[in-house]
Amino acid sequence: HVIRSPRDLSCRVRTEWWLHVALLCVPLVAVYLHVPQPQLSRALHTWRATGRSFSFRGNSIFYKEAVGPVGSSDTVVLLHGFPTSSYDWHKIWEPLKQRFHRVIAPDFLGFGFSDKPRPHAYSIFEQASIVEALLSHLDLAEQKVNLLSHDYGDTVALELLYRSEQNRSGHLAINSLCLSNGGIFPETHYPRFLQKLLKDCGFISPLLTRLINFHLFSRGIGEVFGPYTQPTEAEHWDMWTSVRFNDGNLVLDSVLQYINQRLTHRDRWVGALTSTLTPREYIPHGQTSPTLVHRSTISILDEHISHYPQLEDPTGFMNAYLSFINSF
């Protein structure tokens, strides 16, 4: 018969206590990591219901299209940023319809209401091919289009510009190009800490994508808006819902490889931008390149406007863009 000391008994009690805590935490963590997707708001539901989709290499690609005045023949293609969706353009959708005959806004693969396959090697090249395929699907492959892009969409636009300049098969005919806050010069772009973790932490990254929740997301998004132009609670939820749709949070680490791609293919994309004769506008926040300033129309908005100018100051953004688009 073994007689245990009070110290042994105390250690055993503590061990059993931690075991019970761990057993209780396991289902709680499991529930946390499988939080149901948020319900679509009425605005997001309407956006989705009034959109369409087409198939690209077995994946469904969502897009919005609107037809404006009969007297105009101009087409504008809107290329959204990371990590959101075509809904980023909803505040300027109606003004764009008044100026352009056709307004087209896809959700890139891995974003918004498009499919979000995993595992998948997401790339800027594939996203550019999706845009080309969409315009071909809409019988616009031979028509000149205006590209209006933001953030991630800027790099997609530069790949489309490169293909156009090189007269690649299936390329778009680009009438004008407007870029906004895309970090297109890798040497002057500094990814946020969480972005670095997600794109560079290997096998840990998939776990991190499951740990991102609304509060962490909204805090990060809020930091890239201006101090006086913060999203409302409902707007935060709309952005987060578009990310969570089809488990999009689980592909964030794969999509973020575009940051590394920009560095690898800098000469290709920056070279296309600095050598083209296509009319260009840049709506910047922060540092810009002297080369770009010298060869482009630069539109500076209010100093309090930050990374999402089309959402923070839709009127100022539209005025700047229309001034540019009507200048040639």
Side-chain angles (χ1 to χ4, degrees):
H1 191 71
V2 178
I3 299 176
R4 299 184 183 277
S5 69
R7 181 176 180 180
D8 289 339
L9 291 174
S10 176
C11 289
R12 181 177 178 181
V13 169
R14 285 199 298 269
T15 300
E16 290 179 349
W17 186 84
W18 280 110
L19 180 61
H20 282 96
V21 169
L23 290 174
L24 286 172
C25 286
V26 166
L28 291 176
V29 171
V31 169
Y32 175 72
L33 295 180
H34 293 86
V35 174
Q37 298 174 21
Q39 294 293 314
L40 300 184
S41 67
R42 180 176 298 180
L44 273 184
H45 177 78
T46 300
W47 188 263
R48 184 188 181 201
T50 54
R52 301 176 183 177
S53 64
F54 81 107
S55 180
F56 179 83
R57 298 175 185 171
N59 289 303
S60 177
I61 304 299
F62 174 87
Y63 67 95
K64 280 275 290 185
E65 181 186 15
V67 178
V70 176
S72 172
S73 62
D74 292 344
T75 295
V76 63
V77 180
L78 313 177
L79 306 177
H80 68 80
F82 174 90
T84 42
S85 70
S86 59
Y87 191 64
D88 287 353
W89 306 106
H90 75 280
K91 289 187 177 182
I92 61 172
W93 191 255
E94 289 302 320
L96 286 171
K97 283 172 56 178
Q98 298 304 313
R99 170 59 179 80
F100 294 93
H101 178 55
R102 298 179 78 170
V103 184
I104 300 162
D107 282 350
F108 293 124
L109 187 69
F111 294 78
F113 297 127
S114 290
D115 280 353
K116 300 169 179 178
R118 68 181 199 275
H120 186 82
Y122 290 90
S123 77
I124 293 297
F125 301 103
E126 182 179 40
Q127 306 289 21
S129 295
I130 287 172
V131 176
E132 291 175 337
L134 172 58
L135 294 192
S136 179
H137 172 74
L138 297 174
D139 295 324
L140 291 171
E142 303 300 322
Q143 181 174 324
K144 280 196 169 186
V145 298
N146 301 282
L147 298 181
L148 173 56
S149 61
H150 172 246
D151 187 72
Y152 181 93
D154 283 6
T155 307
V156 178
L158 292 183
E159 171 58 19
L160 291 168
L161 179 65
Y162 175 84
R163 296 181 187 187
S164 177
E165 296 289 300
Q166 298 297 316
N167 201 27
R168 296 295 179 90
S169 177
H171 71 274
L172 302 184
I174 299 175
N175 186 54
S176 72
L177 178 65
C178 177
L179 310 172
S180 59
N181 293 337
I184 53 180
F185 296 93
E187 62 274 17
T188 64
H189 176 251
Y190 304 97
R192 306 185 71 78
F193 178 68
L194 183 57
Q195 290 179 330
K196 292 180 181 179
L197 288 179
L198 287 172
K199 75 182 181 70
D200 293 330
C201 281
F203 70 92
I204 299 177
S205 297
L207 175 61
L208 294 177
T209 63
R210 291 183 178 274
L211 294 175
I212 297 174
N213 58 25
F214 169 74
H215 300 290
L216 186 61
F217 173 84
S218 59
R219 179 179 177 180
I221 285 290
E223 289 176 353
V224 300
F225 276 72
Y228 307 110
T229 55
Q230 288 289 300
T232 65
E233 181 84 356
E235 289 170 339
H236 274 302
W237 273 108
D238 281 342
M239 287 185 278
W240 175 236
T241 300
S242 73
V243 171
R244 283 295 319 278
F245 190 85
N246 283 340
D247 291 326
N249 56 305
L250 302 184
V251 304
L252 291 175
D253 56 329
S254 300
V255 172
L256 272 167
Q257 296 308 310
Y258 83 92
I259 296 176
N260 297 333
Q261 293 165 21
R262 282 197 308 209
L263 188 60
T264 301
H265 303 287
R266 182 199 185 280
D267 291 345
R268 176 188 180 101
W269 293 330
V270 174
L273 179 63
T274 55
S275 64
T276 185
L277 297 179
T278 299
R280 296 162 299 169
E281 179 183 32
Y282 188 51
I283 302 177
H285 170 251
Q287 188 174 2
T288 58
S289 163
T291 303
L292 184 59
V293 171
H294 177 69
R295 300 176 61 90
S296 303
T297 297
I298 305 297
S299 299
I300 305 296
L301 304 183
D302 186 276
E303 63 179 339
H304 299 302
I305 305 304
S306 190
H307 186 66
Y308 278 87
Q310 75 276 34
L311 293 176
E312 299 178 61
D313 183 13
T315 300
F317 185 87
M318 275 302 302
N319 287 341
Y321 182 57
L322 292 181
S323 176
F324 162 69
I325 209 74
N326 293 328
S327 67
F328 56 88

